[in-house]
């Protein structure tokens, strides 16, 4: 498939990117692994691609004030398996295959807002924050306000997502599980569980995020509420509430009901794994 004609500019600074993005229908290009497929399918037709990969300061992982700061251009491959990053490293390792992970970026995944993507669910469950810069200045957007609808985020077309911040979950247990028909496929359903246990073994705090269970990533709030302050023996019954309030679309792989079943099963497994860590 051939994409429609477009212009291309590779910028050296963030200011150059912001000025190029003033062009009508301009789009940021990062790893290109979501945008280019959409263009080839003619579901997106930007007039100009603004390639930000040479902009300095947008890559890498740093720990600061109990948080991880991750540059938007940090690739999935740079995050995969990083045990310090807890659920972020675990989910990144399960994104597609190594070729995709070598190109795709965390900023691209979050700005794109595909509810079947893995890192948006982790950001939501982790209650992370992104930094977004536009010609009007810089703003912080909490994960709960970032994902607005299917492929729709609160990052405007003339803005650049520059940084992702997630809490340091040392002392917590975490798990990211996804179910797909073939290895390395997109998730039919995915679950991120993050658990903090007290000295007596009770669950002090818990976060559960769901992938591909609606038009945005979702929190399994009923499960979280049922587990806080309880022992790990409450996991199985709490996980039964994981699909409450979800509205997953049916597709070639699964009916909505089957996805809801998967959400309950994966939530139980992810919580058990996180609580045992
Ligand atoms: C075969 C295949 C399988 C895949 N499987 C999975 C999977 O299992 N799980 C998963 O999570 N993902 C999967 N992906 C998607 C992959 O992770 C993408 O790389 C990622 O979602 C988008 O990142 P990118 O850097 O490639 O963004 P791009 O494709 O460059 O951009 C995507 C969108 O975000 C915008 N954008 C990008 N960066 C920024 C920024 N810094 N600021 C503002 N806007 C920005 C672009 O303008 C565009 O609209 C798959 C992709 C492919 C091709």
């Amino acid at each position: 498939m051939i994409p429609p004609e477009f212009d291309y500019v590779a910028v050296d600074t963030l200011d150059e990117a912001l000025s190029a993005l003033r062009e009508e229908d301009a789009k940021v290009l990062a790893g290109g692994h979501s945008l280019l497929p959409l263009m080839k399918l003619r579901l997106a037709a930007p007039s100009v691609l603004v390639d930000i990969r040479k902009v300095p300061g947008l890559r890498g992982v740093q720990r600061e004030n109990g948080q991880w700061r991750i540059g938007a251009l940090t690739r999935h491959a740079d995050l995969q398996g990083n045990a310090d990053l807890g659920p972020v490293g675990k989910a990144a390792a399960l994104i597609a295959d190594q070729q995709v992970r070598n190109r795709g970026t965390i900023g691209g995944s979050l700005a794109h807002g595909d509810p079947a993507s893995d890192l948006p669910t982790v950001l939501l469950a982790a209650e992370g924050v992104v930094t977004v810069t536009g010609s009007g200045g810089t703003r912080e957007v909490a994960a709960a306000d970032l994902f607005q609808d299917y492929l729709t985020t609160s990052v405007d077309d003339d803005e650049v997502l520059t940084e992702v911040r997630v809490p340091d979950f040392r002392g917590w247990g975490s798990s990211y599980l996804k179910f797909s028909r073939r290895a390395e496929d997109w998730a039919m359903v995915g679950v991120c569980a993050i658990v903090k246990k007290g000295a007596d073994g009770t669950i002090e705090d818990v976060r559960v995020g769901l992938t591909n269970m609606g038009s945005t990533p979702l929190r399994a709030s009923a499960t979280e509420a049922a587990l806080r302050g309880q022992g790990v023996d409450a996991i199985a019954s709490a996980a039964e509430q994981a699909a409450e309030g979800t509205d997953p679309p049916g597709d070639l792989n699964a009916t909505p009901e089957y996805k809801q079943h998967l959400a309950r099963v994966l939530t139980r497994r992810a919580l058990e794994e996180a609580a045992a860590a």
Side-chain angles (χ1 to χ4, degrees), residues 27-28 30-35 76 96 104-105 108 111 117-118 161 178 186:
K27 275 246 169 226
V28 171
H33 269 50
S34 290
L35 182 53
H76 308 322
T105 66
S117 286
D118 302 297
L161 191 162
K178 63 196 262 191
W186 293 88

Side-chain angles (χ1 to χ4, degrees), residues 190-203:
V191 175
C192 175
I194 314 173
V195 172
K196 185 175 190 194
K197 283 196 298 186
D200 60 356
T202 56
I203 294 175

Side-chain angles (χ1 to χ4, degrees), residues 5-8 23-27 45-49:
E5 205 166 291
F6 59 91
D7 289 331
Y8 169 86
E23 190 89 25
E24 201 176 333
D25 292 331
K27 275 246 169 226
S47 59
V48 53
L49 292 187

Side-chain angles (χ1 to χ4, degrees), residues 33-96:
H33 269 50
S34 290
L35 182 53
L36 296 186
L38 284 184
M39 290 169 64
K40 289 180 173 181
L41 291 167
R42 304 222 165 196
L43 295 172
S47 59
V48 53
L49 292 187
V50 181
D51 186 341
I52 59 169
R53 286 175 299 168
K54 289 195 288 176
V55 174
L58 298 185
R59 281 170 214 276
V61 179
Q62 285 175 314
R63 188 164 180 273
E64 194 180 286
N65 299 329
Q67 290 191 317
W68 289 106
R69 298 177 54 178
I70 307 173
L73 287 177
T74 308
R75 301 166 314 146
H76 308 322
D78 303 318
L79 302 170
Q80 69 183 82
N82 183 335
D84 289 341
L85 296 176
V88 176
K90 288 174 183 162
L94 295 180
I95 295 174

Side-chain angles (χ1 to χ4, degrees), residues 170-204:
R170 259 179 262 186
W172 296 56
S174 68
S175 171
Y176 187 82
L177 299 180
K178 63 196 262 191
F179 188 86
S180 27
R181 281 182 56 208
R182 299 173 308 182
E184 303 181 339
D185 263 356
W186 293 88
M188 273 156 76
V189 174
V191 175
C192 175
I194 314 173
V195 172
K196 185 175 190 194
K197 283 196 298 186
D200 60 356
T202 56
I203 294 175
E204 275 181 7

